[in-house]
Structure formats: structure tokens, C-alpha cells
Amino acid sequence: MASLKDVAKLANVSLMTVSRALNYPQQLKPETYATVMSAVEKLGYVSDMSAKKIRGAKSTISTIGVLALDTMTTPFSVDITLSIEETARAHGWNSFVVNMFTNDEPDKMVDLLLAHRPDGIIYTTMGLRQVPVPKKLLSVPCVLANCESLSDALPSYIPDDEEGQYQGVKALLLAGYRKLLCIHLPEGIVATARRRAGLERACREMGIDPDRLLHHYLPAGESHHIDAAEIVLHHFNGAQPQFDAVVCGNDRVAFVVYQVLLSRGLHIPDDVGVLGYDNMVGTGELFLPPLSTVQLPHYEIGRLSALHIIHGDSHHDTIRVASPYLPRQSL
């Protein structure tokens, strides 16, 4: 990669002259500016934005740094970083991502992020989490996306899991289903308790005691959705299910539930209704009939987080972003 010195040598000018051509072209004679820029083009020189900031040079482009904890390991959450980049570009900003995995040393990854001198930082995670925020991140405006701070009061943008589940279960009950089999995400996951609260609120509004429903929590682990098959089969009396609808912790669970029900000759939604959660990327077309589910608003979370930095918002509130119910043909 060409350096500032390479440009100065080819143009036969000083380093100061090259710097002025890149940052204050109005201070140079037109012919000198043309000579320098010709050398820049020939060498393919790219300006080092972080170095310019260190030197104090004026720049019209501001930058959002994204610290992504496990975010890039799943298609569910990649919409967050995509949205941040698209929003930044639309407002004349740049963005860059530093990926951090569970086994990384946080301080080293934060130092790497800060070395680029971002104007603001978005800390995002795969799956809604409560996280300790490294103190060094607080040296610049910092926003949390899809996570909440365990210590410092910081602005956070998270899915409204309780309201999303409430809307989905309410639609299920309004469709006439009453004997629900509820396959919850593992206990200990932040979203699990909030979604159950939404389910219970919908049931009580319809005069149904949620404690009389069939409740199961999946085990922890990446493949917990596989256990849904055994749970469903456990609640059959011969060929007949003890339930008329299944509330699934996520769309992967719903996919397993579909296979079990269809293999038993049951029809969805006539015999059993199925409600998912997530609107999982890349699987919607695999469900026959199409799955009624709740949208995780990752794209909107990324957009709002980026706008918080760009607009210089100062609040430290937790903003619950709407998780809309998506009616399809499984209810």
C-alpha cells in the first residue's frame, strides 16, 4: 500500500505539501495540487482516516465503530451490522466492525476498536444479553444494540420480547386454540422470562389460566431445538395430541414441531396450530403451510442505534423496539 512518503517522492514535493493537497487544497497553487493528485492516482494512495484524526486534521467524515460480540456467527443478528452500515452511509458517515468472540480478551479487542478513533461506538451481541461494558468504551459516545448493561447506565435498543409474544399468543387464542403446548427457550436466557410474561398476559386477558397449560423449557446448548421432537411426542395419547396448538421458542423449534406433526398425519393449522418466533432468515419458504411468527427487529435496532450516534442523542434509556406479529397460514 502506497504511503504519504511515496506520494511526496513521486510528485517531487514535501510531505507538508501532500498533506495540504489532501486536506486544504485551497492553500496550494492549482498546478501543484494537480501534480500531487496525479501522484495519488498513479500510486492508488488511500488516505488513513485514523491517522488524520490523530494529527488533528479536519475531516468531514465521521465514523461509527461496532464491537460485535458473536454477532457475525448467526444469520439472525447480521441484520444489525448491515443496518448500521447502511444508515451510516446514508448520513455521510463511515462504519467498521471489530468482531469479538466469547474466548477473546475484551480489553485487547476494545483497544483494537479504539485505535481507529471512532466518533461513536455501538456494542452489539448475538441474542439479547446483559453484558459488562468495558470502561474504555465509555471514552466516546456508546450505545448498546440487542444487549443491556450490567453496570453503567447506557442507551440500549432491544427487542420488545414481551409485547411480541403477547401479540402472537393473543392472535392464536383469538383463532380459537385453547390447549397450548408451550416449548420455551432455555431458562437463564434473558428473552425467555420476558416472552413467558407476554404469553401469560395474553392468556389472562382471554380468561385462561396460563399455569394450566403444558410448559417445557428446552435445555441449554446450540442444538436445543432438536429436543422439541421428544417434548411433542410425549404429549400424544396414541394418535391424538393432548394439545391443539404449539407455542415455539423460536422458528427452529417450529421447524422440528412441523416434522413431528406432519409425520403423524396431522394437518396444520386445522388439527394443530403452530406459532414461531424470530422470523428466521432463510427458512420462511421451507414451512408448508407458511409459519405464523414474531419478527425480531434486528434491522430496526441497528438503524436506531446508528441514528443515536449520528444525531448526538444524550438519553440513557432502554428503548424496546417493536417485535411485530406476522400472521401467516399456520394458525
Side-chain angles (χ1 to χ4, degrees), residues 222-255:
E222 290 296 319
S223 301
H224 58 238
H225 55 284
I226 300 300
D227 293 86
E230 184 177 345
I231 292 171
V232 173
L233 290 171
H234 178 74
H235 290 286
F236 270 80
N237 284 331
Q240 295 301 313
Q242 299 171 336
F243 50 87
D244 62 6
V246 185
V247 178
C248 301
N250 58 36
D251 291 351
R252 288 183 293 174
V253 172
F255 189 77

PDB file of all heavy atoms in Angstrom, residues 222-255:
ATOM      1  N   GLU A 222     -26.512 -25.208  21.663  1.00  0.00           N
ATOM      2  CA  GLU A 222     -26.786 -24.746  20.302  1.00  0.00           C
ATOM      3  C   GLU A 222     -27.848 -25.580  19.600  1.00  0.00           C
ATOM      4  O   GLU A 222     -28.509 -25.110  18.684  1.00  0.00           O
ATOM      5  CB  GLU A 222     -25.487 -24.766  19.482  1.00  0.00           C
ATOM      6  CG  GLU A 222     -24.491 -23.710  19.892  1.00  0.00           C
ATOM      7  CD  GLU A 222     -25.008 -22.301  19.667  1.00  0.00           C
ATOM      8  OE1 GLU A 222     -25.640 -22.057  18.616  1.00  0.00           O
ATOM      9  OE2 GLU A 222     -24.814 -21.447  20.552  1.00  0.00           O
ATOM     10  N   SER A 223     -28.026 -26.841  20.008  1.00  0.00           N
ATOM     11  CA  SER A 223     -28.956 -27.736  19.311  1.00  0.00           C
ATOM     12  C   SER A 223     -30.193 -28.039  20.143  1.00  0.00           C
ATOM     13  O   SER A 223     -30.817 -29.091  19.984  1.00  0.00           O
ATOM     14  CB  SER A 223     -28.236 -29.047  18.950  1.00  0.00           C
ATOM     15  OG  SER A 223     -27.122 -28.808  18.120  1.00  0.00           O
ATOM     16  N   HIS A 224     -30.565 -27.115  21.005  1.00  0.00           N
ATOM     17  CA  HIS A 224     -31.693 -27.394  21.906  1.00  0.00           C
ATOM     18  C   HIS A 224     -33.005 -27.617  21.158  1.00  0.00           C
ATOM     19  O   HIS A 224     -33.896 -28.288  21.658  1.00  0.00           O
ATOM     20  CB  HIS A 224     -31.856 -26.273  22.937  1.00  0.00           C
ATOM     21  CG  HIS A 224     -32.074 -24.914  22.344  1.00  0.00           C
ATOM     22  ND1 HIS A 224     -31.243 -23.854  22.606  1.00  0.00           N
ATOM     23  CD2 HIS A 224     -33.031 -24.436  21.515  1.00  0.00           C
ATOM     24  CE1 HIS A 224     -31.676 -22.784  21.961  1.00  0.00           C
ATOM     25  NE2 HIS A 224     -32.758 -23.110  21.293  1.00  0.00           N
ATOM     26  N   HIS A 225     -33.113 -27.067  19.938  1.00  0.00           N
ATOM     27  CA  HIS A 225     -34.381 -27.204  19.212  1.00  0.00           C
ATOM     28  C   HIS A 225     -34.697 -28.658  18.873  1.00  0.00           C
ATOM     29  O   HIS A 225     -35.863 -29.026  18.719  1.00  0.00           O
ATOM     30  CB  HIS A 225     -34.338 -26.377  17.923  1.00  0.00           C
ATOM     31  CG  HIS A 225     -33.196 -26.700  17.026  1.00  0.00           C
ATOM     32  ND1 HIS A 225     -31.906 -26.269  17.275  1.00  0.00           N
ATOM     33  CD2 HIS A 225     -33.146 -27.419  15.874  1.00  0.00           C
ATOM     34  CE1 HIS A 225     -31.116 -26.705  16.311  1.00  0.00           C
ATOM     35  NE2 HIS A 225     -31.835 -27.403  15.464  1.00  0.00           N
ATOM     36  N   ILE A 226     -33.671 -29.514  18.779  1.00  0.00           N
ATOM     37  CA  ILE A 226     -33.884 -30.931  18.461  1.00  0.00           C
ATOM     38  C   ILE A 226     -34.726 -31.611  19.533  1.00  0.00           C
ATOM     39  O   ILE A 226     -35.528 -32.509  19.251  1.00  0.00           O
ATOM     40  CB  ILE A 226     -32.531 -31.658  18.302  1.00  0.00           C
ATOM     41  CG1 ILE A 226     -31.713 -31.018  17.172  1.00  0.00           C
ATOM     42  CG2 ILE A 226     -32.750 -33.137  18.039  1.00  0.00           C
ATOM     43  CD1 ILE A 226     -32.379 -31.058  15.812  1.00  0.00           C
ATOM     44  N   ASP A 227     -34.578 -31.148  20.779  1.00  0.00           N
ATOM     45  CA  ASP A 227     -35.317 -31.766  21.889  1.00  0.00           C
ATOM     46  C   ASP A 227     -36.815 -31.509  21.800  1.00  0.00           C
ATOM     47  O   ASP A 227     -37.595 -32.149  22.517  1.00  0.00           O
ATOM     48  CB  ASP A 227     -34.784 -31.247  23.222  1.00  0.00           C
ATOM     49  CG  ASP A 227     -33.362 -31.711  23.494  1.00  0.00           C
ATOM     50  OD1 ASP A 227     -32.427 -31.038  23.028  1.00  0.00           O
ATOM     51  OD2 ASP A 227     -33.188 -32.757  24.142  1.00  0.00           O
ATOM     52  N   ALA A 228     -37.215 -30.575  20.948  1.00  0.00           N
ATOM     53  CA  ALA A 228     -38.647 -30.300  20.806  1.00  0.00           C
ATOM     54  C   ALA A 228     -39.412 -31.517  20.301  1.00  0.00           C
ATOM     55  O   ALA A 228     -40.584 -31.711  20.646  1.00  0.00           O
ATOM     56  CB  ALA A 228     -38.858 -29.113  19.865  1.00  0.00           C
ATOM     57  N   ALA A 229     -38.774 -32.357  19.497  1.00  0.00           N
ATOM     58  CA  ALA A 229     -39.453 -33.542  18.959  1.00  0.00           C
ATOM     59  C   ALA A 229     -39.908 -34.471  20.079  1.00  0.00           C
ATOM     60  O   ALA A 229     -41.061 -34.927  20.105  1.00  0.00           O
ATOM     61  CB  ALA A 229     -38.524 -34.280  18.002  1.00  0.00           C
ATOM     62  N   GLU A 230     -39.020 -34.716  21.024  1.00  0.00           N
ATOM     63  CA  GLU A 230     -39.366 -35.605  22.142  1.00  0.00           C
ATOM     64  C   GLU A 230     -40.466 -34.989  23.003  1.00  0.00           C
ATOM     65  O   GLU A 230     -41.359 -35.694  23.490  1.00  0.00           O
ATOM     66  CB  GLU A 230     -38.121 -35.866  22.986  1.00  0.00           C
ATOM     67  CG  GLU A 230     -38.352 -36.856  24.127  1.00  0.00           C
ATOM     68  CD  GLU A 230     -37.083 -37.163  24.899  1.00  0.00           C
ATOM     69  OE1 GLU A 230     -35.989 -36.844  24.378  1.00  0.00           O
ATOM     70  OE2 GLU A 230     -37.186 -37.711  26.014  1.00  0.00           O
ATOM     71  N   ILE A 231     -40.420 -33.679  23.191  1.00  0.00           N
ATOM     72  CA  ILE A 231     -41.447 -32.998  24.001  1.00  0.00           C
ATOM     73  C   ILE A 231     -42.815 -33.153  23.360  1.00  0.00           C
ATOM     74  O   ILE A 231     -43.812 -33.473  24.026  1.00  0.00           O
ATOM     75  CB  ILE A 231     -41.083 -31.505  24.167  1.00  0.00           C
ATOM     76  CG1 ILE A 231     -39.827 -31.359  25.029  1.00  0.00           C
ATOM     77  CG2 ILE A 231     -42.253 -30.731  24.772  1.00  0.00           C
ATOM     78  CD1 ILE A 231     -39.268 -29.956  25.072  1.00  0.00           C
ATOM     79  N   VAL A 232     -42.889 -32.922  22.053  1.00  0.00           N
ATOM     80  CA  VAL A 232     -44.175 -33.040  21.355  1.00  0.00           C
ATOM     81  C   VAL A 232     -44.696 -34.473  21.438  1.00  0.00           C
ATOM     82  O   VAL A 232     -45.873 -34.711  21.746  1.00  0.00           O
ATOM     83  CB  VAL A 232     -44.025 -32.596  19.883  1.00  0.00           C
ATOM     84  CG1 VAL A 232     -45.316 -32.878  19.110  1.00  0.00           C
ATOM     85  CG2 VAL A 232     -43.692 -31.109  19.815  1.00  0.00           C
ATOM     86  N   LEU A 233     -43.835 -35.441  21.159  1.00  0.00           N
ATOM     87  CA  LEU A 233     -44.263 -36.847  21.163  1.00  0.00           C
ATOM     88  C   LEU A 233     -44.718 -37.289  22.553  1.00  0.00           C
ATOM     89  O   LEU A 233     -45.570 -38.179  22.682  1.00  0.00           O
ATOM     90  CB  LEU A 233     -43.122 -37.738  20.670  1.00  0.00           C
ATOM     91  CG  LEU A 233     -42.792 -37.603  19.175  1.00  0.00           C
ATOM     92  CD1 LEU A 233     -41.512 -38.351  18.846  1.00  0.00           C
ATOM     93  CD2 LEU A 233     -43.954 -38.118  18.328  1.00  0.00           C
ATOM     94  N   HIS A 234     -44.160 -36.691  23.585  1.00  0.00           N
ATOM     95  CA  HIS A 234     -44.529 -37.053  24.955  1.00  0.00           C
ATOM     96  C   HIS A 234     -45.993 -36.730  25.245  1.00  0.00           C
ATOM     97  O   HIS A 234     -46.605 -37.348  26.132  1.00  0.00           O
ATOM     98  CB  HIS A 234     -43.616 -36.306  25.938  1.00  0.00           C
ATOM     99  CG  HIS A 234     -43.937 -36.559  27.373  1.00  0.00           C
ATOM    100  ND1 HIS A 234     -43.634 -37.755  28.010  1.00  0.00           N
ATOM    101  CD2 HIS A 234     -44.538 -35.768  28.315  1.00  0.00           C
ATOM    102  CE1 HIS A 234     -44.029 -37.696  29.269  1.00  0.00           C
ATOM    103  NE2 HIS A 234     -44.578 -36.502  29.481  1.00  0.00           N
ATOM    104  N   HIS A 235     -46.552 -35.791  24.494  1.00  0.00           N
ATOM    105  CA  HIS A 235     -47.925 -35.348  24.769  1.00  0.00           C
ATOM    106  C   HIS A 235     -48.912 -35.859  23.716  1.00  0.00           C
ATOM    107  O   HIS A 235     -49.811 -35.136  23.288  1.00  0.00           O
ATOM    108  CB  HIS A 235     -47.966 -33.819  24.861  1.00  0.00           C
ATOM    109  CG  HIS A 235     -47.286 -33.290  26.085  1.00  0.00           C
ATOM    110  ND1 HIS A 235     -47.834 -33.391  27.344  1.00  0.00           N
ATOM    111  CD2 HIS A 235     -46.080 -32.687  26.238  1.00  0.00           C
ATOM    112  CE1 HIS A 235     -46.999 -32.855  28.222  1.00  0.00           C
ATOM    113  NE2 HIS A 235     -45.939 -32.417  27.587  1.00  0.00           N
ATOM    114  N   PHE A 236     -48.732 -37.119  23.328  1.00  0.00           N
ATOM    115  CA  PHE A 236     -49.688 -37.814  22.473  1.00  0.00           C
ATOM    116  C   PHE A 236     -50.344 -38.933  23.263  1.00  0.00           C
ATOM    117  O   PHE A 236     -49.673 -39.655  24.008  1.00  0.00           O
ATOM    118  CB  PHE A 236     -48.989 -38.401  21.241  1.00  0.00           C
ATOM    119  CG  PHE A 236     -48.948 -37.466  20.059  1.00  0.00           C
ATOM    120  CD1 PHE A 236     -47.998 -36.458  19.987  1.00  0.00           C
ATOM    121  CD2 PHE A 236     -49.853 -37.601  19.015  1.00  0.00           C
ATOM    122  CE1 PHE A 236     -47.949 -35.601  18.895  1.00  0.00           C
ATOM    123  CE2 PHE A 236     -49.820 -36.753  17.922  1.00  0.00           C
ATOM    124  CZ  PHE A 236     -48.864 -35.749  17.861  1.00  0.00           C
ATOM    125  N   ASN A 237     -51.634 -39.083  23.100  1.00  0.00           N
ATOM    126  CA  ASN A 237     -52.346 -40.271  23.568  1.00  0.00           C
ATOM    127  C   ASN A 237     -52.646 -41.122  22.338  1.00  0.00           C
ATOM    128  O   ASN A 237     -53.617 -40.876  21.623  1.00  0.00           O
ATOM    129  CB  ASN A 237     -53.653 -39.889  24.265  1.00  0.00           C
ATOM    130  CG  ASN A 237     -53.411 -39.351  25.663  1.00  0.00           C
ATOM    131  OD1 ASN A 237     -52.445 -39.723  26.305  1.00  0.00           O
ATOM    132  ND2 ASN A 237     -54.286 -38.460  26.124  1.00  0.00           N
ATOM    133  N   GLY A 238     -51.772 -42.068  22.075  1.00  0.00           N
ATOM    134  CA  GLY A 238     -51.916 -42.834  20.846  1.00  0.00           C
ATOM    135  C   GLY A 238     -51.675 -41.925  19.654  1.00  0.00           C
ATOM    136  O   GLY A 238     -50.615 -41.309  19.523  1.00  0.00           O
ATOM    137  N   ALA A 239     -52.680 -41.801  18.787  1.00  0.00           N
ATOM    138  CA  ALA A 239     -52.537 -40.950  17.603  1.00  0.00           C
ATOM    139  C   ALA A 239     -53.002 -39.526  17.851  1.00  0.00           C
ATOM    140  O   ALA A 239     -52.839 -38.661  16.977  1.00  0.00           O
ATOM    141  CB  ALA A 239     -53.324 -41.547  16.439  1.00  0.00           C
ATOM    142  N   GLN A 240     -53.564 -39.255  19.025  1.00  0.00           N
ATOM    143  CA  GLN A 240     -54.162 -37.949  19.280  1.00  0.00           C
ATOM    144  C   GLN A 240     -53.279 -37.087  20.196  1.00  0.00           C
ATOM    145  O   GLN A 240     -52.831 -37.536  21.253  1.00  0.00           O
ATOM    146  CB  GLN A 240     -55.539 -38.128  19.930  1.00  0.00           C
ATOM    147  CG  GLN A 240     -56.552 -38.807  19.032  1.00  0.00           C
ATOM    148  CD  GLN A 240     -56.765 -38.038  17.735  1.00  0.00           C
ATOM    149  OE1 GLN A 240     -56.947 -36.819  17.739  1.00  0.00           O
ATOM    150  NE2 GLN A 240     -56.737 -38.759  16.622  1.00  0.00           N
ATOM    151  N   PRO A 241     -53.041 -35.839  19.799  1.00  0.00           N
ATOM    152  CA  PRO A 241     -52.263 -34.938  20.668  1.00  0.00           C
ATOM    153  C   PRO A 241     -53.118 -34.426  21.825  1.00  0.00           C
ATOM    154  O   PRO A 241     -54.349 -34.314  21.720  1.00  0.00           O
ATOM    155  CB  PRO A 241     -51.895 -33.787  19.725  1.00  0.00           C
ATOM    156  CG  PRO A 241     -52.988 -33.772  18.697  1.00  0.00           C
ATOM    157  CD  PRO A 241     -53.414 -35.203  18.519  1.00  0.00           C
ATOM    158  N   GLN A 242     -52.477 -34.141  22.943  1.00  0.00           N
ATOM    159  CA  GLN A 242     -53.154 -33.564  24.100  1.00  0.00           C
ATOM    160  C   GLN A 242     -53.261 -32.037  23.994  1.00  0.00           C
ATOM    161  O   GLN A 242     -53.675 -31.387  24.943  1.00  0.00           O
ATOM    162  CB  GLN A 242     -52.387 -33.921  25.387  1.00  0.00           C
ATOM    163  CG  GLN A 242     -52.294 -35.414  25.638  1.00  0.00           C
ATOM    164  CD  GLN A 242     -51.354 -35.733  26.792  1.00  0.00           C
ATOM    165  OE1 GLN A 242     -50.466 -34.946  27.110  1.00  0.00           O
ATOM    166  NE2 GLN A 242     -51.568 -36.876  27.419  1.00  0.00           N
ATOM    167  N   PHE A 243     -52.887 -31.484  22.874  1.00  0.00           N
ATOM    168  CA  PHE A 243     -52.837 -30.039  22.675  1.00  0.00           C
ATOM    169  C   PHE A 243     -53.442 -29.715  21.313  1.00  0.00           C
ATOM    170  O   PHE A 243     -53.540 -30.580  20.441  1.00  0.00           O
ATOM    171  CB  PHE A 243     -51.385 -29.555  22.719  1.00  0.00           C
ATOM    172  CG  PHE A 243     -50.467 -30.358  21.831  1.00  0.00           C
ATOM    173  CD1 PHE A 243     -50.300 -30.022  20.489  1.00  0.00           C
ATOM    174  CD2 PHE A 243     -49.787 -31.475  22.323  1.00  0.00           C
ATOM    175  CE1 PHE A 243     -49.473 -30.781  19.669  1.00  0.00           C
ATOM    176  CE2 PHE A 243     -48.961 -32.229  21.500  1.00  0.00           C
ATOM    177  CZ  PHE A 243     -48.808 -31.883  20.167  1.00  0.00           C
ATOM    178  N   ASP A 244     -53.863 -28.463  21.143  1.00  0.00           N
ATOM    179  CA  ASP A 244     -54.367 -28.058  19.827  1.00  0.00           C
ATOM    180  C   ASP A 244     -53.522 -26.946  19.197  1.00  0.00           C
ATOM    181  O   ASP A 244     -53.822 -26.483  18.098  1.00  0.00           O
ATOM    182  CB  ASP A 244     -55.835 -27.628  19.902  1.00  0.00           C
ATOM    183  CG  ASP A 244     -56.076 -26.423  20.795  1.00  0.00           C
ATOM    184  OD1 ASP A 244     -55.088 -25.826  21.292  1.00  0.00           O
ATOM    185  OD2 ASP A 244     -57.251 -26.063  21.006  1.00  0.00           O
ATOM    186  N   ALA A 245     -52.447 -26.530  19.915  1.00  0.00           N
ATOM    187  CA  ALA A 245     -51.519 -25.548  19.357  1.00  0.00           C
ATOM    188  C   ALA A 245     -50.188 -25.645  20.081  1.00  0.00           C
ATOM    189  O   ALA A 245     -50.134 -26.037  21.254  1.00  0.00           O
ATOM    190  CB  ALA A 245     -52.082 -24.132  19.472  1.00  0.00           C
ATOM    191  N   VAL A 246     -49.124 -25.294  19.373  1.00  0.00           N
ATOM    192  CA  VAL A 246     -47.783 -25.297  19.965  1.00  0.00           C
ATOM    193  C   VAL A 246     -47.197 -23.894  19.851  1.00  0.00           C
ATOM    194  O   VAL A 246     -47.122 -23.325  18.753  1.00  0.00           O
ATOM    195  CB  VAL A 246     -46.851 -26.306  19.269  1.00  0.00           C
ATOM    196  CG1 VAL A 246     -45.506 -26.361  20.001  1.00  0.00           C
ATOM    197  CG2 VAL A 246     -47.487 -27.688  19.200  1.00  0.00           C
ATOM    198  N   VAL A 247     -46.804 -23.331  20.995  1.00  0.00           N
ATOM    199  CA  VAL A 247     -46.102 -22.051  21.033  1.00  0.00           C
ATOM    200  C   VAL A 247     -44.614 -22.364  21.108  1.00  0.00           C
ATOM    201  O   VAL A 247     -44.147 -22.950  22.095  1.00  0.00           O
ATOM    202  CB  VAL A 247     -46.544 -21.210  22.250  1.00  0.00           C
ATOM    203  CG1 VAL A 247     -45.775 -19.899  22.297  1.00  0.00           C
ATOM    204  CG2 VAL A 247     -48.043 -20.957  22.198  1.00  0.00           C
ATOM    205  N   CYS A 248     -43.878 -22.004  20.074  1.00  0.00           N
ATOM    206  CA  CYS A 248     -42.480 -22.419  19.940  1.00  0.00           C
ATOM    207  C   CYS A 248     -41.525 -21.296  20.344  1.00  0.00           C
ATOM    208  O   CYS A 248     -41.741 -20.126  20.000  1.00  0.00           O
ATOM    209  CB  CYS A 248     -42.196 -22.820  18.493  1.00  0.00           C
ATOM    210  SG  CYS A 248     -43.241 -24.166  17.894  1.00  0.00           S
ATOM    211  N   GLY A 249     -40.457 -21.659  21.030  1.00  0.00           N
ATOM    212  CA  GLY A 249     -39.465 -20.680  21.477  1.00  0.00           C
ATOM    213  C   GLY A 249     -38.802 -19.932  20.348  1.00  0.00           C
ATOM    214  O   GLY A 249     -38.406 -18.776  20.509  1.00  0.00           O
ATOM    215  N   ASN A 250     -38.641 -20.568  19.199  1.00  0.00           N
ATOM    216  CA  ASN A 250     -38.131 -19.892  18.010  1.00  0.00           C
ATOM    217  C   ASN A 250     -38.536 -20.682  16.769  1.00  0.00           C
ATOM    218  O   ASN A 250     -39.173 -21.742  16.876  1.00  0.00           O
ATOM    219  CB  ASN A 250     -36.604 -19.673  18.079  1.00  0.00           C
ATOM    220  CG  ASN A 250     -35.828 -20.970  18.241  1.00  0.00           C
ATOM    221  OD1 ASN A 250     -36.184 -22.011  17.696  1.00  0.00           O
ATOM    222  ND2 ASN A 250     -34.736 -20.909  18.996  1.00  0.00           N
ATOM    223  N   ASP A 251     -38.162 -20.185  15.608  1.00  0.00           N
ATOM    224  CA  ASP A 251     -38.595 -20.821  14.362  1.00  0.00           C
ATOM    225  C   ASP A 251     -37.915 -22.166  14.121  1.00  0.00           C
ATOM    226  O   ASP A 251     -38.465 -23.025  13.424  1.00  0.00           O
ATOM    227  CB  ASP A 251     -38.308 -19.885  13.175  1.00  0.00           C
ATOM    228  CG  ASP A 251     -39.206 -18.663  13.190  1.00  0.00           C
ATOM    229  OD1 ASP A 251     -40.146 -18.616  14.008  1.00  0.00           O
ATOM    230  OD2 ASP A 251     -38.968 -17.738  12.384  1.00  0.00           O
ATOM    231  N   ARG A 252     -36.719 -22.348  14.677  1.00  0.00           N
ATOM    232  CA  ARG A 252     -36.079 -23.661  14.541  1.00  0.00           C
ATOM    233  C   ARG A 252     -36.868 -24.728  15.300  1.00  0.00           C
ATOM    234  O   ARG A 252     -37.021 -25.853  14.827  1.00  0.00           O
ATOM    235  CB  ARG A 252     -34.631 -23.597  15.039  1.00  0.00           C
ATOM    236  CG  ARG A 252     -33.698 -22.839  14.118  1.00  0.00           C
ATOM    237  CD  ARG A 252     -32.277 -22.865  14.630  1.00  0.00           C
ATOM    238  NE  ARG A 252     -32.160 -22.118  15.882  1.00  0.00           N
ATOM    239  CZ  ARG A 252     -31.049 -22.078  16.622  1.00  0.00           C
ATOM    240  NH1 ARG A 252     -29.986 -22.778  16.259  1.00  0.00           N
ATOM    241  NH2 ARG A 252     -31.011 -21.368  17.730  1.00  0.00           N
ATOM    242  N   VAL A 253     -37.353 -24.357  16.476  1.00  0.00           N
ATOM    243  CA  VAL A 253     -38.216 -25.271  17.222  1.00  0.00           C
ATOM    244  C   VAL A 253     -39.466 -25.567  16.409  1.00  0.00           C
ATOM    245  O   VAL A 253     -39.912 -26.722  16.305  1.00  0.00           O
ATOM    246  CB  VAL A 253     -38.589 -24.660  18.589  1.00  0.00           C
ATOM    247  CG1 VAL A 253     -39.650 -25.510  19.288  1.00  0.00           C
ATOM    248  CG2 VAL A 253     -37.352 -24.516  19.469  1.00  0.00           C
ATOM    249  N   ALA A 254     -40.043 -24.525  15.803  1.00  0.00           N
ATOM    250  CA  ALA A 254     -41.246 -24.712  14.994  1.00  0.00           C
ATOM    251  C   ALA A 254     -40.988 -25.657  13.825  1.00  0.00           C
ATOM    252  O   ALA A 254     -41.863 -26.469  13.471  1.00  0.00           O
ATOM    253  CB  ALA A 254     -41.739 -23.356  14.473  1.00  0.00           C
ATOM    254  N   PHE A 255     -39.815 -25.577  13.234  1.00  0.00           N
ATOM    255  CA  PHE A 255     -39.483 -26.462  12.117  1.00  0.00           C
ATOM    256  C   PHE A 255     -39.504 -27.927  12.557  1.00  0.00           C
ATOM    257  O   PHE A 255     -40.032 -28.795  11.855  1.00  0.00           O
ATOM    258  CB  PHE A 255     -38.116 -26.097  11.550  1.00  0.00           C
ATOM    259  CG  PHE A 255     -37.783 -26.798  10.267  1.00  0.00           C
ATOM    260  CD1 PHE A 255     -38.345 -26.385   9.077  1.00  0.00           C
ATOM    261  CD2 PHE A 255     -36.909 -27.877  10.252  1.00  0.00           C
ATOM    262  CE1 PHE A 255     -38.036 -27.031   7.879  1.00  0.00           C
ATOM    263  CE2 PHE A 255     -36.606 -28.528   9.076  1.00  0.00           C
ATOM    264  CZ  PHE A 255     -37.173 -28.105   7.881  1.00  0.00           C
TER     265      PHE A 255
END
